[in-house]
Amino acid sequence: MSHAATESAATAVQDDPSLVPVARAVDLHKVYGAGDTSVAALDGVSVDFWPGQFTAIMGPSGSGKSTLMHCLAALDSPTAGAVFVGDADLTRLGDKELTRIRRDRIGFVFQAFNLVPTLTALENITLPMDIAGRTPNQAWLDTVIDTVGLRNRLEHKPSQLSGGQQQRVACARALAGRPDIVFADEPTGNLDSVAGAEVLGFLRRSVSEFGQTVVMVTHDPNAAGYADRVLFLADGRIVDEMAEPTADRVLDKMKHLDARPAAAEHGG
Ligand code: ADP
Ligand code: MG
């Protein structure tokens, strides 16, 4: 693996921590498999995620959205390029250090909730900290629990909660340790529109009120409308970006992006 990109990116990092992205990808490549069957899931992605910003990532199925999030969250390793969380270059760290960064600095929300069925909502929320041997900050925990509206559901098991409530538990779990950044991969994909709006409202508040940094993959223009910016991915590359998105503008952009390859195919 080449470290040329790594070094030039490292020297670009500023002294003032507020001017350092919470996470960044530098010319990220990810190839699955080898030979004829290899797939370039990421094909040169460079992007910065700034403190207190809510970013949505959109793109067709298979465009590399999950792969990008997994590489940024230290759940997968890129084939080439660099990933920084703060000033730490993940591609240069060993397993122990990666585990610590995942645990202490990153929160992740999955489409399928991924709660432990035998634990209560509260136990699920504090599980990562319990495993890490960290004592939750009670005031912060209370804030998170009240913000997601789970105060009177804390003793319930996941099976006793609706899908929306389960995802709010998963969001609370991701935020309870006050991570530097929360990644959410289609967090509303299994929810009806009302429950989805609750989860999105909570993610929005975590950014606007608590300064959380959030990156969310979604297929839904309405969901993207909650974000501060949208990245559009196609074939493993960032092909477009939108600031201050609204659902209507995102929908319009998606139509244009979809139209391009189709026009080329049928154009003559
Ligand atoms: P998205 O989340 O946008 O749907 P993914 O990041 O999951 O896209 O996948 C991007 C590409 O990489 C797809 O072609 C997918 O089939 C391939 N891919 C993803 N994960 C693996 C894997 N573990 N092994 C082989 N190919 C994979
Ligand atoms: Mg995906």
Side-chain angles (χ1 to χ4, degrees):
M1 194 192 304
S2 159
H3 284 294
T6 310
E7 263 143 27
S8 60
T11 52
V13 168
Q14 316 259 353
D15 291 336
D16 181 347
S18 69
L19 295 177
V20 177
V22 182
R24 68 191 313 210
V26 183
D27 197 21
L28 210 57
H29 290 257
K30 176 70 180 181
V31 178
Y32 288 111
D36 288 351
T37 57
S38 71
V39 176
L42 296 177
D43 191 20
V45 171
S46 297
V47 61
D48 293 339
F49 299 95
W50 295 94
Q53 195 177 42
F54 187 173
T55 303
I57 300 178
M58 304 192 82
S61 186
S63 58
K65 304 181 297 294
S66 292
T67 303
L68 175 59
M69 295 246 290
H70 292 162
C71 288
L72 288 164
L75 296 170
D76 200 350
S77 54
T79 310
V83 177
F84 292 87
V85 172
D87 55 8
D89 178 354
L90 301 191
T91 50
R92 295 185 164 205
L93 299 182
D95 281 347
K96 257 193 181 168
E97 293 159 306
L98 286 176
T99 301
R100 195 176 310 131
I101 285 192
R102 263 196 306 270
R103 200 181 65 193
D104 297 343
R105 296 170 72 173
I106 292 170
F108 212 101
V109 179
F110 301 88
Q111 181 174 349
F113 318 146
N114 290 8
L115 301 179
V116 179
T118 53
L119 300 181
T120 65
L122 181 60
E123 289 165 344
N124 268 285
I125 291 169
T126 59
L127 181 64
M129 278 176 291
D130 293 341
I131 290 173
R134 281 167 66 193
T135 310
N137 176 316
Q138 193 58 47
W140 173 246
L141 195 59
D142 283 337
T143 301
V144 169
I145 287 166
D146 288 331
T147 307
V148 293
L150 287 166
R151 177 63 60 198
N152 53 13
R153 294 282 187 283
L154 292 177
E155 297 310 316
H156 289 54
K157 300 275 173 64
S159 62
Q160 298 168 310
L161 299 172
S162 70
Q165 289 167 341
Q166 289 183 60
Q167 193 62 308
R168 284 188 277 140
V169 172
C171 288
R173 176 181 59 185
L175 271 137
R178 294 210 102 154
D180 294 348
I181 187 162
V182 169
F183 295 100
D185 196 348
E186 303 194 38
T188 59
N190 284 339
L191 302 179
D192 63 44
S193 58
V194 172
E198 285 168 2
V199 166
L200 291 162
F202 170 63
L203 291 174
R204 181 67 251 175
R205 286 183 66 189
S206 77
V207 173
S208 301
E209 293 175 24
F210 311 135
Q212 183 63 56
T213 308
V214 174
V215 182
M216 169 184 76
V217 167
T218 182
H219 280 116
D220 177 1
N222 286 308
Y226 284 77
D228 298 312
R229 69 165 175 172
V230 185
L231 305 176
F232 296 91
L233 226 62
D235 297 326
R237 292 161 180 264
I238 294 174
V239 292
D240 218 331
E241 185 169 343
M242 184 188 289
E244 305 299 328
T246 63
D248 284 346
R249 285 175 59 225
V250 170
L251 192 60
D252 205 46
K253 178 78 75 183
M254 286 166 76
K255 282 181 196 155
H256 288 293
L257 290 174
D258 282 350
R260 241 182 262 161
E265 258 169 47
H266 302 297

